[in-house]
Amino acid sequence: MRRVIVDCAIYRDGRRTEGPEDFSDALDEARATGDAFIWVGMHEPSSEEFDHVRREFGLHPLAVEDALTAHQRPKLEVYDDSLFVVLKPVLYDEAADRVSAGELMVFIGDSFVVTVRHGEGAPLAAVRHRLEQEPQVLRHGPTAVLYAVCDAVVDHYIEVAAELQADLEELEAEVFAPNASDTKNTAARIYAFKRQVLEFRRATSPLLQPMDRLAFGQVPFVHGHAQPFFRDVADHLTKANEYIEGLDRLLSDALSAHLAQMGVRQNDDMRKISAWAAMAAVPTMVAGIYGMNFDHMPELRHPWGYPAVLVVMVAACLGLHRLFKRRGWL
């Protein structure tokens, strides 16, 4: 159990205090005083490891199954004895230009908070440390923890969106570069980028409805006076979703522009090939005519026939070259 429990503490009047190591005794002590709650943080527990926590806090079996299985959409579920919230923190790897999403489950009930983390993207340690430095916020109990966790996850969405925006600007510069040549690599990068944006959207879009419920509805185990704070989180989430929608539209436009540029380059290449083929066809045609070996052909026996044919071929090629150059084919 100590391997999966990252941290466990009792908070009384907004300050961390020492308490019993047993969950049941700690929870009874927190409920007895009325101004305390217990916060248990876990990382990727197995079914056996989480079973003790489930029994002590009376967590709903369906919520427990979701917390253990992971791969859930962001959502908010209300049960008789607890509130269950699923969040998907995102992590941006600058070296690989890759967005990955973890999962964070939050159980809130009478005088307790249980957080279950999957992956590496959840900022729970920083959230706990910051709350412990602000006892006036932590004094509001489990509601303050839920707000702080949601706020940290959503604020990180905006930071990741800003980093993706910087990468997109570099990609746009590559697409519209006048001497861009590696078209296959550029198209692959655009498709890979769109996949990262899709992964990002899977984390942010489904969270809008749970945030609206917390910001504008009456949710059990969440104090009504916290609604303005959750409205602020909902506003930041809307901003993050607008960022992502803008990124997706710009990527689609960049892909369309890239495909159009490829078509223009192919047309330019075909015109150049056609122009050179036309210039090569003139001497080929003349040489073919005079190479048919007939006995009676005009100027066949003329002493100036050979130089005249060469002059005609060179003049025709130069004339065609000048014509194609003027029209922009060469």
Side-chain angles (χ1 to χ4, degrees):
M1 284 296 295
R2 293 188 179 277
R3 181 178 63 86
V4 298
I5 295 179
V6 180
D7 201 351
C8 177
I10 295 178
Y11 295 90
R12 180 173 291 104
D13 195 27
R15 300 187 180 278
R16 182 169 182 147
T17 62
E18 298 295 331
E21 294 186 0
D22 184 79
F23 291 150
S24 181
D25 295 338
L27 183 60
D28 291 341
E29 181 178 325
R31 287 174 173 172
T33 58
D35 61 348
F37 70 95
I38 181 174
W39 182 359
V40 180
M42 308 185 73
H43 178 241
E44 297 182 356
S46 65
S47 177
E48 295 77 12
E49 292 167 335
F50 198 65
D51 188 62
H52 179 61
V53 177
R54 176 190 64 80
R55 292 195 309 270
E56 295 296 340
F57 293 100
L59 305 179
H60 197 278
L62 292 177
V64 171
E65 181 181 356
D66 290 343
L68 294 175
T69 306
H71 304 292
Q72 304 295 319
R73 297 177 73 251
K75 62 180 180 179
L76 184 151
E77 298 286 350
V78 178
Y79 298 101
D80 293 336
D81 299 325
S82 63
L83 176 70
F84 180 59
V85 180
V86 178
L87 304 168
K88 292 184 75 69
V90 295
L91 184 65
Y92 179 71
D93 186 356
E94 294 184 4
D97 291 338
R98 180 175 178 269
V99 174
S100 59
E103 291 194 38
L104 177 60
M105 288 76 171
V106 184
F107 294 88
I108 290 182
D110 182 13
S111 301
F112 72 85
V113 177
V114 176
T115 54
V116 181
R117 176 168 60 91
H118 293 268
E120 302 298 331
L124 284 182
V127 171
R128 188 187 288 259
H129 178 73
R130 190 183 74 229
L131 283 175
E132 290 178 354
Q133 303 302 315
E134 300 177 353
Q136 71 278 6
V137 177
L138 199 56
R139 190 175 292 118
H140 295 285
T143 300
V145 175
L146 179 61
Y147 159 72
V149 171
C150 293
D151 185 58
V153 169
V154 172
D155 283 348
H156 194 59
Y157 287 162
I158 297 178
E159 295 175 5
V160 173
E163 293 176 337
L164 289 177
Q165 178 68 36
D167 287 347
L168 177 58
E169 292 174 358
E170 295 179 1
L171 186 58
E172 285 178 332
E174 179 181 330
V175 169
F176 295 104
N179 57 348
S181 58
D182 193 358
T183 56
K184 291 184 179 180
N185 185 54
T186 301
R189 286 188 60 191
I190 294 175
Y191 276 112
F193 208 128
K194 286 185 71 69
R195 182 171 293 276
Q196 302 306 314
V197 172
L198 177 60
E199 182 72 16
F200 199 175
R201 175 172 285 178
R202 288 173 179 169
T204 61
S205 295
L207 190 58
L208 284 171
Q209 184 178 5
M211 284 298 106
D212 285 342
R213 290 180 62 186
L214 291 170
F216 301 102
Q218 297 296 326
V219 181
F221 308 106
V222 176
H223 295 303
H225 59 73
Q227 286 185 350
F229 298 94
F230 284 108
R231 282 198 293 269
D232 182 67
V233 176
D235 289 342
H236 290 176
L237 180 61
T238 300
K239 181 179 179 181
N241 276 285
E242 290 174 351
Y243 261 124
I244 298 168
E245 291 176 2
L247 288 173
D248 190 53
R249 287 195 299 268
L250 288 174
L251 280 170
S252 298
D253 293 342
L255 181 59
S256 299
H258 176 67
L259 295 176
Q261 285 181 333
M262 289 180 61
V264 171
R265 293 192 188 106
Q266 289 175 350
N267 288 337
D268 289 340
D269 293 340
M270 288 302 299
R271 285 189 296 182
K272 291 179 181 179
I273 293 172
S274 300
W276 286 109
M279 288 187 290
V282 172
T284 301
M285 180 187 67
V286 175
I289 291 174
Y290 279 90
M292 289 188 294
N293 297 322
F294 289 113
D295 291 334
H296 303 284
M297 294 184 67
E299 290 84 26
L300 186 63
R301 304 297 180 182
H302 197 281
W304 294 99
Y306 179 69
V309 170
L310 290 180
V311 170
V312 169
M313 288 191 293
V314 172
C317 291
L318 290 176
L320 289 173
H321 184 276
R322 184 177 180 182
L323 176 64
F324 293 143
K325 194 76 172 179
R326 185 183 302 171
R327 294 188 177 183
W329 285 34
L330 292 175

